[in-house]
Amino acid sequence: FFFHTPPHPCRLTSHCLVGALLDSGTPPVAPSPTPTIFSCKTLRLESALISSSHTPNHHFESQERIVMSLVRTNRAEFTDMFRCFYENCPPELEKAAHITPSSSKTPPITTPPITLNFSSSADKILMNLDPHNPKIQEYVPNIYELCRTIASDFYVHTRDPFDYEITSVHLLRNPVVWEQYQAEKKLRRTLLQSEIVSRAQARTAQPSNPTGSPAAEPLQEDPELLFKDDVLFHGTQKHKLPSILLNGLDPKMTIRANYGKGCYFSDTIEKCMQYVDVQKSVEQEYSIILCCVLLGRVMVEPYERVRRTLGPHSMYLPDGYHSAMAHDSYKEWIVFEKSQILPLCVINFKASNKPESHYRLSQFSVLFKPSLPYSIGDIPRVCTVPTPVDNNKAVQQGDTVKSGTWREPDVQTAKMLHSIFRIEKARVCNIHYPSFKEWVISATNGAGEESFGYLADTEMTQFMQMSQNINLLHDRMEASRARFRAERTKEHLDIQRMIHTSGVSIDAHIVGLVTGLMMIQEQFVEIEKKSQLTRVYAAQMLLANNLRYQAEILAHEQQWKQLKDELDVQRARLLTSYSAEQLSVVENVLRLQKTLARKIQEDEASLERQLNAINIEKDRSNKHAISVTKAITREGLGLRIADAKKKFDDAQASKTLPEDFQLVNTVVMTSTAKSWPLIVAELLLPPIMLNQLSYDKQSLLNLTGPLATHVPGQDWWAVAPQSIYETPVPSYLFWPLDPRRRIPNRRFFQLKDYIEWIFLEKENRIRKHRWRHDQTGNNATSEPPADMLQHDNATAIQQYLRQQWDQLDPTILKSIGELSSRHGRVIFNRAERQKELDQMGTDLLNELFVQAEPHMLIWDSSSQSGSSTQGDAECPICKDTLELPDPNTNSTSQATTSEPEKVVKLKSCRHCFHEACIKEWFNSNDAQLKCPMCNTMCTTEAKSGATKNAIRGQRPQKLGPMPDGVMGYHFDTRLCCYFIFVVMPGHFIPNPNPNGVSPRIQVPGDVRYVVLPVSARLGPLLLIRLITLFYYGHMFRVGRSLTRGVDNVVVWNGVHLRTGMKGEFGFPAPNFERNCWEEINQKGVAMGLDELILSMLCADGSEPTPIHVDTQLTSGVDLPASVVEEISSQALTMRMFDPNQPLLFK
């Protein structure tokens, strides 16, 4: 299933099912060899695109939505949208779009002089495709849709679309690169198709094969799907764009890379931001190239670096592969063939300058400083984020005010003076004016004499960076020291635990005897090694008959026999006084202690080398600092300050202050940053959890060898998760992220897509079942088509999905909204959630009935035998006349008479009632939401409970006791699980103790984390229920922590989840999914999925094996309705998790 435009969170076209937007229908002409840039403003598209992503309950309102989860789409390529710019671009369009660099307001690319032999339009390098230009619209009617598609492709690959603002998009028009790419695509598809045919012919001829050699296995790959346009991004610097325009992306131009000399691409904008221009202004504009890439067969690099196939100098891939994929913090693809790459357009954009934004808070220098976290406790609670500032204001309001004023250095400057200048105590003075920035340092020697030295601001900045590097080396050394201490302490405790567990008493006498025995053993082993080496060397050098070597070998044998006899004597002597178990324990303990001592020596040597490196760096920096610092007298310093101030006053009077740029370190409290939970779930939790796995489990992540040794089904995505969780994992086709391909497994881009797939798959299997039932004769044994819905009308499927959503708890759709199945953020704010529930109650009542109009009043002859006029219609419940307000009566006359009761009509039938009467009828305990007259159901069973609450004036869904918080989740492809991280800031609550000193007490902020595997039985459905649980505040509460013994802290609210990869709170965890599912059922949230799953037939349309639940204990017993409902819910859960129940996602 190929969707050639990735969906945007706003769900512009459901699964972004967009056809070839640009197709003029004219026959193609010979392309011009002129590389051209098409520039199009996107009119702040992010505002229009993102604003609709937060609009709830509009899942079916857009006329553009065409749900195609099971409907096979056309196979139009992504490049088809741009075909008219390359193959049939008329001269009139070039003339309409052409602008000269001088007329462009902000030309994004300065094109160098071109020496190639171009056509007459060679000077048309920059072309502006303005969507509002009528001449451009004449030739490209869908230009706005094209810009909209490119923008949605950009924003959907960001972690937070609000961090970026697209300013312009430039199409790179190079017909030569276009033709090379299209020819390469066609060639590779043809070669693969030929290979498929040849293998099929070889298998057909296998019975007549005289050699008996096995035929090649058939290829199950679709050439058009394997070599399709995969949209990826390439981060680059702006000054390289002209070269890319003329020559394309050439892997040979790669200078330095971890996985070889290829072109690198990513599906994450944050990854590409590591390679763009360095920020030099507050309004910095960055550029990223949107490319189409032919990935083909992708080689996945192993988890461990030492087992990887590609290295820094690799230039080719193993046979059978067309690209490679590496997955560290982000996914990135490596392509080594230039013809597989088509640079389409340059996206120019600005990034957020807010320090708490996802882009700035997730930078590598912020997260992994000084090193990777090893445990949850190492995750920083405070981050220092480099943030750009408005420089002129900062200069005028900050440094300019302090210029010429002596002060004590701040902490960072004091560290720099101590480590580089080796000054213990000093004062600093900055002379900071625009175009004149210097620093002055005052130090006092031992004789009490004060000396001055000044240096330029750039040199001061350089020394500050040197000091930070030295401090970083020192922090790493201290981190290594702490890690060594923790590891050696653990090993020492393990040795003590071994001694205590064995129960063997170890005294000095037995230690001495065993030590002597071990020394003899070591000599024995050493002599044996020497003898073997001598024999091998003599044999290799053909000196076996040499008398010298024979004598040496004989001496070794005699020494070996003596040591063996001595070893046997010592061991026999020890066995007379001690048992063999005692000797074994003491020997193991001594060997471990010796190993521990050796490791301690190695640790000390490593720390000594790091300390020497720090001292060398300090000496080098000190020599450089002494050479650049210039001495000055106090009188000369006063003259320099006065001269600088005069220049500043003159510049301020003439308003010619130059702009300057600087980054200021801003401290961000992670508990208040809404992007922090997603950052931790995606970048910090995976390495922490991977470190918890044993070596044999981690080795399963390296099953990605070359194609020659590849065994289907033995990849890590099929072996590692099942080995870790010991439960069946889903087929990778159902994973939110395909392990080999780029980000979209587009069928399941959003969480709601999985539920929609269940809806459609249920209908598909029902049709298969009917097809089997209708087959007779010879066709009875034939298999039904794989997809029975492929010829259906998309509008009918859309209407069908809407009806199916009505059968589920409305809180599910409300909570998951437009959330991605890859990663997302959920916010619980009690005040906002209460407003949403109030609005939901109003919507449910509006779905139940509408205000009656005169033509709706119906006289029922069975209830009244009087007049037959509409005015005599009566309420079937109270028997009073149904009266409507007269529209011709003015408000003054209405005020003097009593207003009639409000009359409503049920939407499900034709009967009218007084609003108060029908609400009272529905509100009765034994009444269902059915019409009292015709017994028609007025709403679905899933919405009946919420609707009754709305009738009673209550909220449809009760909010839980959880305090406000933010939850972030991320799907980890390597482990087939979701990592969830929750941050709840500190807050105040009423004091539960009425006699307390303060009426309010503070609840400290806290964090929680969860590991949630994706199983073949539930897929992401358990995550959907957990999101709904958090969305309505039922996941946590404030109470007493039994593990910590502390009151008034955030604790779990009765739903037991796993918080590690192994151990007591990790995996394997039998019945984890079932227990968690039952506990969520007890909260009454996200109901209705049990019945949906149990109503599914088998994949081939056959009926599953009946599952019977024992209900004899409750048969014939009159139980309360609440108990019966609970028993029914438990019976559904037992059936759903029965071993005979078919796995839905396998």
Side-chain angles (χ1 to χ4, degrees):
F1 298 91
F2 174 64
F3 301 88
H4 56 279
T5 307
H8 187 265
C10 67
R11 309 277 289 184
L12 294 176
T13 56
S14 179
H15 297 254
C16 286
L17 190 62
V18 183
L21 293 179
L22 304 177
D23 187 6
S24 62
T26 57
V29 296
S32 170
T34 307
T36 310
I37 299 175
F38 293 86
S39 173
C40 53
K41 288 286 183 179
T42 56
L43 307 177
R44 294 187 57 85
L45 281 175
E46 86 289 346
S47 300
L49 292 172
I50 301 173
S51 60
S52 58
S53 66
H54 298 276
T55 305
N57 291 340
H58 290 275
H59 185 53
F60 305 99
E61 293 181 4
S62 175
Q63 297 298 325
E64 298 175 333
R65 282 189 52 85
I66 304 176
V67 180
M68 287 291 190
S69 293
L70 287 179
V71 180
R72 187 171 297 276
T73 66
N74 56 39
R75 293 190 175 182
E77 299 284 355
F78 186 82
T79 52
D80 289 344
M81 295 187 295
F82 303 87
R83 189 173 299 275
C84 68
F85 295 105
Y86 293 89
E87 298 181 359
N88 56 358
C89 185
E92 293 80 3
L93 177 59
E94 292 186 356
K95 184 177 180 180
H98 171 60
I99 58 172
T100 60
S102 59
S103 63
S104 175
K105 296 181 180 179
T106 55
I109 304 175
T110 55
T111 307
I114 299 173
T115 58
L116 299 179
N117 184 17
F118 287 128
S119 62
S120 58
S121 59
D123 58 335
K124 299 177 182 178
I125 300 300
L126 184 63
M127 301 185 70
N128 181 19
L129 296 185
D130 185 1
H132 301 288
N133 190 328
K135 293 184 178 180
I136 299 178
Q137 292 179 358
E138 179 181 354
Y139 295 98
V140 189
N142 296 321
I143 181 60
Y144 183 78
E145 290 299 327
L146 176 61
C147 299
R148 189 183 180 94
T149 303
I150 295 174
S152 66
D153 224 340
F154 175 85
Y155 285 116
V156 79
H157 293 90
T158 63
R159 294 298 181 260
D160 190 349
F162 291 98
D163 287 350
Y164 306 95
E165 176 188 350
I166 294 180
T167 57
S168 60
V169 179
H170 308 274
L171 271 68
L172 299 175
R173 180 176 178 265
N174 190 327
V176 175
V177 178
W178 168 272
E179 288 184 346
Q180 291 176 351
Y181 176 82
Q182 299 296 341
E184 183 75 15
K185 183 196 303 185
K186 184 177 180 180
L187 176 62
R188 291 186 181 271
R189 288 178 175 179
T190 304
L191 292 176
L192 181 58
Q193 186 64 37
S194 301
E195 185 179 358
I196 294 174
V197 173
S198 61
R199 290 201 181 192
Q201 293 175 351
R203 289 182 62 84
T204 305
Q206 184 178 7
S208 60
N209 190 350
T211 61
S213 58
E217 292 292 331
L219 289 177
Q220 304 296 332
E221 299 166 326
D222 187 341
E224 293 189 12
L225 291 181
L226 188 63
F227 295 102
K228 63 182 180 66
D229 296 332
D230 278 308
V231 180
L232 294 172
F233 297 91
H234 177 81
T236 187
Q237 299 174 358
K238 277 200 170 186
H239 70 274
K240 298 180 181 180
L241 292 178
S243 175
I244 296 174
L245 167 65
L246 296 176
N247 306 312
L249 284 171
D250 192 350
K252 296 181 181 179
M253 302 302 294
T254 303
I255 300 176
R256 182 177 62 253
N258 293 331
Y259 299 95
K261 296 184 177 181
C263 287
Y264 289 70
F265 304 91
S266 180
D267 56 11
T268 308
I269 300 301
E270 283 73 16
K271 176 66 177 179
C272 299
M273 289 295 291
Q274 300 176 11
Y275 305 96
V276 298
D277 292 313
V278 179
Q279 187 169 10
K280 297 181 180 180
S281 67
V282 178
E283 298 296 328
Q284 177 80 31
E285 188 177 79
Y286 306 95
S287 297
I288 286 180
I289 303 178
L290 184 147
C291 304
C292 282
V293 185
L294 299 176
L295 293 179
R297 297 193 190 101
V298 182
M299 182 184 73
V300 182
E301 282 291 71
Y303 171 69
E304 294 183 5
R305 292 181 179 271
V306 295
R307 300 192 181 186
R308 292 175 179 172
T309 306
L310 300 178
H313 303 289
S314 300
M315 300 182 65
Y316 305 98
L317 288 167
D319 292 339
Y321 290 108
H322 309 100
S323 61
M325 191 274 286
H327 192 165
D328 292 330
S329 298
Y330 299 105
K331 271 186 175 183
E332 57 181 338
W333 284 261
I334 307 96
V335 178
F336 292 87
E337 293 292 337
K338 176 182 178 181
S339 56
Q340 293 179 231
I341 308 168
L342 175 62
L344 274 178
C345 56
V346 179
I347 302 177
N348 301 312
F349 60 94
K350 296 179 181 179
S352 172
N353 291 325
K354 296 181 180 179
E356 66 275 6
S357 65
H358 189 287
Y359 155 62
R360 297 198 176 274
L361 200 56
S362 62
Q363 290 179 355
F364 188 85
S365 59
V366 174
L367 288 181
F368 306 112
K369 184 180 180 180
S371 61
L372 280 168
Y374 288 92
S375 63
I376 299 297
D378 295 336
I379 295 178
R381 298 295 181 95
V382 178
C383 290
T384 303
V385 183
T387 309
V389 296
D390 191 339
N391 305 299
N392 276 338
K393 292 183 178 179
V395 169
Q396 296 177 16
Q397 298 176 3
D399 294 336
T400 303
V401 176
K402 300 177 181 178
S403 292
T405 304
W406 289 98
R407 61 184 184 276
E408 297 294 329
D410 55 19
V411 177
Q412 297 296 332
T413 307
K415 288 183 179 180
M416 184 273 294
L417 294 175
H418 174 72
S419 59
I420 295 181
F421 287 88
R422 298 179 181 176
I423 300 176
E424 295 293 338
K425 189 176 182 180
R427 294 186 303 158
V428 295
C429 172
N430 63 309
I431 312 175
H432 276 196
Y433 297 101
S435 71
F436 190 89
K437 294 185 177 182
E438 289 182 345
W439 288 81
V440 183
I441 303 173
S442 170
T444 305
N445 56 20
E449 298 177 353
E450 188 176 20
S451 57
F452 301 93
Y454 71 93
L455 65 163
D457 181 72
T458 56
E459 296 168 347
M460 188 70 170
T461 304
Q462 182 181 4
F463 291 143
M464 293 294 292
Q465 185 63 41
M466 291 180 179
S467 175
Q468 291 179 5
N469 294 337
I470 294 174
N471 293 334
L472 178 61
L473 294 175
H474 188 271
D475 293 340
R476 289 179 178 174
M477 182 183 69
E478 293 301 325
S480 301
R481 189 191 305 276
R483 189 175 71 255
F484 292 156
R485 186 184 297 111
E487 292 175 355
R488 305 304 164 247
T489 303
K490 182 178 180 300
E491 294 175 1
H492 175 71
L493 293 177
D494 291 341
I495 296 173
Q496 298 299 324
R497 193 179 298 109
M498 179 188 297
I499 298 173
H500 179 74
T501 305
S502 64
V504 177
S505 60
I506 301 178
D507 52 13
H509 183 259
I510 189 174
V511 169
L513 295 176
V514 174
T515 302
L517 181 65
M518 292 176 63
M519 293 177 61
I520 297 175
Q521 287 178 341
E522 292 175 357
Q523 295 178 6
F524 177 78
V525 172
E526 184 178 357
I527 291 299
E528 189 174 11
K529 289 182 179 180
K530 286 183 178 180
S531 177
Q532 292 178 356
L533 290 175
T534 304
R535 291 176 182 274
V536 171
Y537 181 76
Q540 291 178 350
M541 303 300 295
L542 302 178
L543 299 173
N545 297 326
N546 192 301
L547 296 178
R548 173 189 168 190
Y549 284 101
Q550 289 181 353
E552 187 174 350
I553 293 173
L554 182 62
H556 287 162
E557 291 180 350
Q558 292 177 354
Q559 191 174 2
W560 180 81
K561 290 180 180 179
Q562 293 177 0
L563 290 174
K564 187 176 184 305
D565 295 339
E566 184 178 358
L567 184 63
D568 294 339
V569 171
Q570 291 290 345
R571 187 177 296 277
R573 185 182 303 169
L574 286 173
L575 289 175
T576 58
S577 303
Y578 303 97
S579 64
E581 182 182 0
Q582 287 179 307
L583 294 180
S584 177
V585 171
V586 174
E587 187 174 353
N588 290 335
V589 169
L590 292 179
R591 186 175 289 106
L592 291 175
Q593 288 180 345
K594 185 176 180 180
T595 303
L596 179 60
R598 177 177 55 79
K599 289 183 178 181
I600 293 176
Q601 292 179 355
E602 293 176 354
D603 296 344
E604 292 177 350
S606 175
L607 294 175
E608 185 67 25
R609 289 193 297 270
Q610 294 184 45
L611 183 61
N612 292 336
I614 293 174
N615 292 332
I616 292 173
E617 182 66 19
K618 286 183 176 180
D619 293 339
R620 186 185 67 83
S621 302
N622 179 258
K623 292 180 181 179
H624 180 60
I626 294 176
S627 63
V628 300
T629 305
K630 305 177 183 60
I632 192 174
T633 62
R634 185 183 295 272
E635 293 76 11
L637 176 62
L639 293 176
R640 293 187 71 85
I641 294 176
D643 183 58
K645 191 174 186 307
K646 183 177 182 301
K647 292 181 180 179
F648 169 72
D649 293 338
D650 296 341
Q652 192 174 24
S654 59
K655 297 182 180 181
T656 59
L657 291 176
E659 286 192 6
D660 193 15
F661 176 76
Q662 64 180 4
L663 292 174
V664 177
N665 288 333
T666 305
V667 177
V668 176
M669 301 296 297
T670 57
S671 60
T672 59
K674 294 183 179 180
S675 59
W676 183 247
L678 177 56
I679 294 173
V680 176
E682 180 179 10
L683 301 178
L684 299 184
L685 277 183
I688 293 175
M689 295 302 173
L690 285 172
N691 289 334
Q692 295 182 5
L693 297 178
S694 58
Y695 177 77
D696 59 331
K697 301 293 184 184
Q698 291 189 6
S699 62
L700 297 176
L701 302 177
N702 301 309
L703 300 175
T704 55
L707 195 63
T709 61
H710 172 68
V711 180
Q714 294 297 317
D715 299 296
W716 54 262
W717 49 85
V719 178
Q722 187 163 354
S723 175
I724 295 171
Y725 312 121
E726 296 186 1
T727 56
V729 297
S731 171
Y732 76 91
L733 298 176
F734 292 99
W735 287 25
L737 287 173
D738 191 323
R740 287 182 182 270
R741 310 301 299 183
R742 62 179 295 266
I743 181 172
N745 183 345
R746 299 173 191 250
R747 291 176 61 187
F748 303 109
F749 192 84
Q750 294 186 337
L751 288 173
K752 68 174 68 172
D753 293 340
Y754 284 89
I755 300 181
E756 290 184 356
W757 175 83
I758 297 176
F759 292 154
L760 295 174
E761 183 67 12
K762 175 183 175 181
E763 179 66 18
N764 193 35
R765 295 182 183 184
I766 291 175
R767 297 191 181 194
K768 287 183 181 180
H769 179 73
R770 294 173 182 170
W771 183 90
R772 287 179 176 275
H773 186 270
D774 295 340
Q775 294 300 305
T776 57
N778 296 331
N779 295 330
T781 58
S782 61
E783 290 295 326
D787 188 357
M788 301 287 290
L789 294 178
Q790 58 181 346
H791 301 296
D792 274 15
N793 189 350
T795 306
I797 294 181
Q798 177 181 349
Q799 184 178 4
Y800 170 77
L801 287 178
R802 181 173 184 176
Q803 295 172 355
Q804 294 300 311
W805 274 110
D806 290 338
Q807 307 303 319
L808 289 184
D809 189 340
T811 58
I812 298 179
L813 180 59
K814 183 69 177 179
S815 58
I816 62 177
E818 305 294 337
L819 289 177
S820 170
S821 61
R822 280 79 174 164
H823 50 76
R825 184 179 62 197
V826 186
I827 301 175
F828 174 71
N829 184 287
R830 183 171 296 274
E832 294 182 1
R833 203 65 68 245
Q834 288 176 349
K835 294 180 181 179
E836 291 180 5
L837 289 176
D838 293 338
Q839 181 62 37
M840 184 188 295
T842 304
D843 295 338
L844 290 174
L845 292 179
N846 293 335
E847 292 179 5
L848 200 62
F849 39 67
V850 295
Q851 186 173 356
E853 297 180 5
H855 68 277
M856 299 179 181
L857 298 182
I858 297 176
W859 174 79
D860 195 339
S861 60
S862 63
S863 61
Q864 183 177 0
S865 59
S867 174
S868 61
T869 60
Q870 289 186 348
D872 295 330
E874 65 179 23
C875 175
I877 298 177
C878 67
K879 304 301 183 181
D880 290 340
T881 303
L882 296 176
E883 298 181 5
L884 297 178
D886 188 356
N888 298 323
T889 306
N890 55 30
S891 59
T892 306
S893 60
Q894 286 184 357
T896 58
T897 60
S898 60
E899 296 183 1
E901 295 186 61
K902 185 177 180 180
V903 181
V904 295
K905 172 192 169 293
L906 295 180
K907 282 188 173 182
S908 58
C909 62
R910 61 191 181 88
H911 295 100
C912 298
F913 306 86
H914 290 128
E915 183 181 22
C917 296
I918 190 61
K919 283 187 176 181
E920 186 176 356
W921 173 273
F922 285 154
N923 199 21
S924 59
N925 294 329
D926 56 345
Q928 297 180 346
L929 294 180
K930 296 182 179 180
C931 175
M933 300 299 295
C934 60
N935 209 30
T936 302
M937 192 68 182
C938 300
T939 184
T940 61
E941 185 177 353
K943 295 183 178 181
S944 59
T947 306
K948 272 200 170 186
N949 291 336
I951 293 173
R952 296 167 185 165
Q954 302 173 357
R955 294 188 175 94
Q957 173 65 50
K958 182 180 179 182
L959 292 182
M962 189 179 76
D964 294 351
V966 183
M967 180 179 80
Y969 65 90
H970 173 76
F971 180 79
D972 188 87
T973 312
R974 293 165 292 187
L975 298 176
C976 187
C977 70
Y978 283 100
F979 290 120
I980 301 175
F981 193 76
V982 181
V983 175
M984 284 161 288
H987 61 285
F988 289 89
I989 61 172
N991 194 341
N993 183 8
N995 299 325
V997 179
S998 175
R1000 302 178 66 193
I1001 58 175
Q1002 184 177 11
V1003 177
D1006 206 347
V1007 298
R1008 290 289 187 272
Y1009 50 94
V1010 177
V1011 180
L1012 188 67
V1014 176
S1015 69
R1017 184 177 300 278
L1018 295 180
L1021 299 183
L1022 188 55
L1023 173 71
I1024 291 175
R1025 299 199 73 189
L1026 286 178
I1027 289 176
T1028 307
L1029 197 74
F1030 184 88
Y1031 191 81
Y1032 291 104
H1034 292 276
M1035 186 174 286
F1036 303 97
R1037 62 181 176 87
V1038 176
R1040 178 175 178 81
S1041 174
L1042 299 180
T1043 57
R1044 292 178 287 176
V1046 182
D1047 291 323
N1048 300 322
V1049 294
V1050 177
V1051 296
W1052 296 96
N1053 189 28
V1055 179
H1056 297 82
L1057 300 171
R1058 317 307 289 180
T1059 57
M1061 299 302 300
K1062 64 177 184 178
E1064 181 182 359
F1065 303 105
F1067 298 92
N1071 300 324
F1072 157 68
E1073 289 183 324
R1074 173 178 174 176
N1075 296 335
C1076 188
W1077 195 272
E1078 290 179 343
E1079 290 166 349
I1080 297 177
N1081 285 342
Q1082 295 174 5
K1083 304 295 180 184
V1085 176
M1087 307 300 290
L1089 292 177
D1090 308 66
E1091 296 88 343
L1092 178 63
I1093 297 174
L1094 291 174
S1095 62
M1096 294 283 289
L1097 299 174
C1098 294
D1100 58 355
S1102 60
E1103 296 184 0
T1105 304
I1107 301 174
H1108 300 284
V1109 179
D1110 187 10
T1111 58
Q1112 296 180 357
L1113 296 177
T1114 60
S1115 60
V1117 181
D1118 188 12
L1119 298 174
S1122 59
V1123 178
V1124 173
E1125 184 179 356
E1126 182 178 354
I1127 294 176
S1128 302
S1129 176
Q1130 293 177 355
L1132 288 176
T1133 305
M1134 292 176 62
R1135 289 179 55 198
M1136 193 172 72
F1137 290 94
D1138 190 276
N1140 295 326
Q1141 176 69 22
L1143 300 177
L1144 186 60
F1145 296 98
K1146 192 64 176 176

